[in-house]
Amino acid sequence: MRTIAISNNKGGVGKTTSTVNIAAGLQILGKKVLVIDVDHQAQTTYHFGIAPKDLQFSIFEVIKGEINYKDILIQKSGVDILPAKPDLKDLDFLPFPAKEFLLKEALDKIKEYDYILMDCPPSLGILTLNALTFAKEIFIPLQLQFLPFHGMYNLFDGVQMVKQRLNKDLDISGIIATMYSANKSINKEVMEETETRLPGKLFKTIIRENVYLQEAPSWGQTIFEYKSDSNGAVDYLNLCKEIISQEK
Ligand SMILES: Nc1ncnc2c1ncn2[C@@H]1O[C@H](COP(=O)(O)OP(=O)(O)OP(=O)(O)O)[C@@H](O)[C@H]1O
Ligand SMILES: [Mg+2]
């Protein structure tokens, strides 16, 4: 079982889009996948067509140890989902010691999946720290522009700190280039710079800019349900094949 946090402290880089569509792609390729929404924005939850306001319980009660994860499990698009609600941000105010370990403690016994994917908020706050403490791997979605590229080094420092203090097993196992446009020379330049400075870290599959990836969430669908012949679907399926090939 691979436990992967999809994380970047920068906002709007494609974390949620990647979490949902990698989960769906892996499922299409025959894998059993659990998605955990670890973001109080609950965007992964919305993307799968689940309205947070209709939920009585969510991952927050599981993290607090009040209920079992099976009590909130929802199946959509062939994927099991542990949804979030905006109250997840209150984790910050809980008077529990060692709060970074709560998610791991609540879910450590799960064994029945090939992949667990966690969507993180755009910060290195307590929610992301919970995901990085439970995860074995991180995928970093990267927008191929100058500032996001340099911002990624702050994330590397954060990951190093997590490795030292919380989770020595954690590793960055791939950077996902997102929203690539052949018309933008900066995209190509940053891609080359990433390959030079961080050899072997960038997935070979590049996720191209694709409007259907923006539209699919409003229908509560993955890209494979919404527009299965789009560049977005082709790219995410190829990325999933590459993710699986990391295991050989
Ligand atoms: N390959 C793509 N092509 C076009 N639009 C994209 C692509 N990937 C993501 N988007 C769009 O960019 C926006 C940000 O993407 P997304 O919500 O996945 O980022 P995020 O990193 O999860 O953001 P946040 O930090 O707020 O959680 C969304 O509107 C999404 O639909
Ligand atoms: Mg998001």
Short mmCIF file of all heavy atoms in Angstrom, two decimals, residues 6 10-17 19 37 39 41-44 119-122, ligand 2:
data_model
loop_
_atom_site.label_atom_id
_atom_site.label_comp_id
_atom_site.label_asym_id
_atom_site.label_seq_id
_atom_site.Cartn_x
_atom_site.Cartn_y
_atom_site.Cartn_z
N ILE A 6 -0.62 14.77 -1.40
CA ILE A 6 -0.46 15.66 -2.56
C ILE A 6 -0.35 17.06 -1.96
O ILE A 6 -1.35 17.60 -1.46
CB ILE A 6 -1.67 15.58 -3.51
CG1 ILE A 6 -2.14 14.15 -3.71
CG2 ILE A 6 -1.38 16.32 -4.81
CD1 ILE A 6 -1.52 13.37 -4.78
N LYS A 10 2.08 26.35 -1.79
CA LYS A 10 1.53 27.35 -2.69
C LYS A 10 0.10 26.97 -3.07
O LYS A 10 -0.21 25.80 -3.27
CB LYS A 10 2.41 27.42 -3.94
CG LYS A 10 1.95 28.37 -4.99
CD LYS A 10 2.97 29.45 -5.25
CE LYS A 10 2.49 30.45 -6.30
NZ LYS A 10 1.27 31.16 -5.93
N GLY A 11 -0.77 27.96 -3.16
CA GLY A 11 -2.17 27.71 -3.50
C GLY A 11 -2.40 27.65 -5.00
O GLY A 11 -1.64 28.20 -5.79
N GLY A 12 -3.46 26.96 -5.38
CA GLY A 12 -3.92 26.96 -6.77
C GLY A 12 -2.98 26.33 -7.77
O GLY A 12 -2.96 26.70 -8.95
N VAL A 13 -2.21 25.35 -7.35
CA VAL A 13 -1.22 24.73 -8.25
C VAL A 13 -1.70 23.41 -8.86
O VAL A 13 -0.99 22.80 -9.65
CB VAL A 13 0.13 24.50 -7.53
CG1 VAL A 13 0.76 25.82 -7.14
CG2 VAL A 13 -0.04 23.60 -6.31
N GLY A 14 -2.88 22.96 -8.44
CA GLY A 14 -3.41 21.72 -8.99
C GLY A 14 -3.40 20.54 -8.03
O GLY A 14 -3.46 19.38 -8.46
N LYS A 15 -3.34 20.81 -6.73
CA LYS A 15 -3.35 19.71 -5.74
C LYS A 15 -4.67 18.93 -5.81
O LYS A 15 -4.67 17.70 -5.91
CB LYS A 15 -3.18 20.27 -4.30
CG LYS A 15 -1.82 20.89 -4.03
CD LYS A 15 -1.71 21.39 -2.60
CE LYS A 15 -2.58 22.62 -2.32
NZ LYS A 15 -2.16 23.84 -3.02
N THR A 16 -5.77 19.67 -5.72
CA THR A 16 -7.07 19.00 -5.69
C THR A 16 -7.37 18.31 -7.01
O THR A 16 -7.80 17.14 -7.04
CB THR A 16 -8.17 20.04 -5.35
OG1 THR A 16 -7.87 20.59 -4.07
CG2 THR A 16 -9.54 19.41 -5.33
N THR A 17 -7.12 19.01 -8.11
CA THR A 17 -7.35 18.43 -9.44
C THR A 17 -6.53 17.15 -9.60
O THR A 17 -7.03 16.14 -10.13
CB THR A 17 -6.94 19.46 -10.52
OG1 THR A 17 -7.64 20.69 -10.25
CG2 THR A 17 -7.26 18.98 -11.91
N THR A 19 -5.29 15.20 -7.09
CA THR A 19 -5.74 14.17 -6.15
C THR A 19 -6.93 13.40 -6.73
O THR A 19 -6.94 12.16 -6.79
CB THR A 19 -6.17 14.80 -4.80
OG1 THR A 19 -5.07 15.56 -4.28
CG2 THR A 19 -6.57 13.74 -3.80
N ASP A 37 -9.75 13.83 2.25
CA ASP A 37 -9.73 15.28 2.09
C ASP A 37 -9.20 15.88 3.39
O ASP A 37 -9.91 15.90 4.40
CB ASP A 37 -11.15 15.79 1.77
CG ASP A 37 -11.12 17.21 1.24
OD1 ASP A 37 -10.06 17.87 1.36
OD2 ASP A 37 -12.15 17.67 0.72
N ASP A 39 -8.17 18.99 3.66
CA ASP A 39 -8.21 20.44 3.45
C ASP A 39 -9.56 20.97 3.93
O ASP A 39 -10.61 20.48 3.48
CB ASP A 39 -8.01 20.74 1.97
CG ASP A 39 -7.90 22.23 1.68
OD1 ASP A 39 -8.06 23.03 2.62
OD2 ASP A 39 -7.66 22.57 0.51
N GLN A 41 -10.96 23.52 3.09
CA GLN A 41 -11.71 24.08 1.95
C GLN A 41 -12.64 23.03 1.34
O GLN A 41 -13.52 23.35 0.55
CB GLN A 41 -10.76 24.58 0.86
CG GLN A 41 -9.81 25.68 1.30
CD GLN A 41 -8.85 26.06 0.18
OE1 GLN A 41 -9.09 27.00 -0.58
NE2 GLN A 41 -7.75 25.32 0.05
N ALA A 42 -12.41 21.77 1.67
CA ALA A 42 -13.26 20.64 1.25
C ALA A 42 -13.42 20.56 -0.26
O ALA A 42 -14.47 20.16 -0.77
CB ALA A 42 -14.63 20.69 1.94
N GLN A 43 -12.39 20.93 -1.00
CA GLN A 43 -12.54 20.99 -2.47
C GLN A 43 -12.55 19.62 -3.12
O GLN A 43 -13.23 19.41 -4.13
CB GLN A 43 -11.44 21.88 -3.06
CG GLN A 43 -11.69 23.34 -2.72
CD GLN A 43 -10.55 24.24 -3.13
OE1 GLN A 43 -9.44 23.78 -3.41
NE2 GLN A 43 -10.81 25.53 -3.16
N THR A 44 -11.79 18.69 -2.56
CA THR A 44 -11.84 17.33 -3.08
C THR A 44 -13.23 16.74 -2.85
O THR A 44 -13.80 16.06 -3.71
CB THR A 44 -10.75 16.46 -2.41
OG1 THR A 44 -9.51 16.81 -3.02
CG2 THR A 44 -10.99 14.99 -2.59
N ASP A 119 -5.38 14.99 -0.08
CA ASP A 119 -5.31 16.36 -0.59
C ASP A 119 -5.05 17.31 0.58
O ASP A 119 -5.77 17.26 1.58
CB ASP A 119 -6.63 16.73 -1.28
CG ASP A 119 -6.57 18.10 -1.94
OD1 ASP A 119 -5.46 18.58 -2.22
OD2 ASP A 119 -7.65 18.69 -2.17
N CYS A 120 -4.02 18.13 0.46
CA CYS A 120 -3.62 19.03 1.55
C CYS A 120 -3.98 20.47 1.25
O CYS A 120 -4.07 20.87 0.10
CB CYS A 120 -2.10 18.95 1.75
SG CYS A 120 -1.51 17.33 2.22
N PRO A 121 -4.13 21.29 2.30
CA PRO A 121 -4.34 22.73 2.09
C PRO A 121 -3.03 23.42 1.67
O PRO A 121 -1.95 22.84 1.83
CB PRO A 121 -4.81 23.23 3.46
CG PRO A 121 -4.36 22.21 4.44
CD PRO A 121 -4.16 20.92 3.72
N PRO A 122 -3.13 24.65 1.17
CA PRO A 122 -1.92 25.35 0.70
C PRO A 122 -1.14 26.02 1.83
O PRO A 122 -0.96 27.23 1.84
CB PRO A 122 -2.50 26.39 -0.27
CG PRO A 122 -3.88 26.65 0.23
CD PRO A 122 -4.36 25.38 0.85
MG MG B 2 -7.06 22.30 -3.30
#
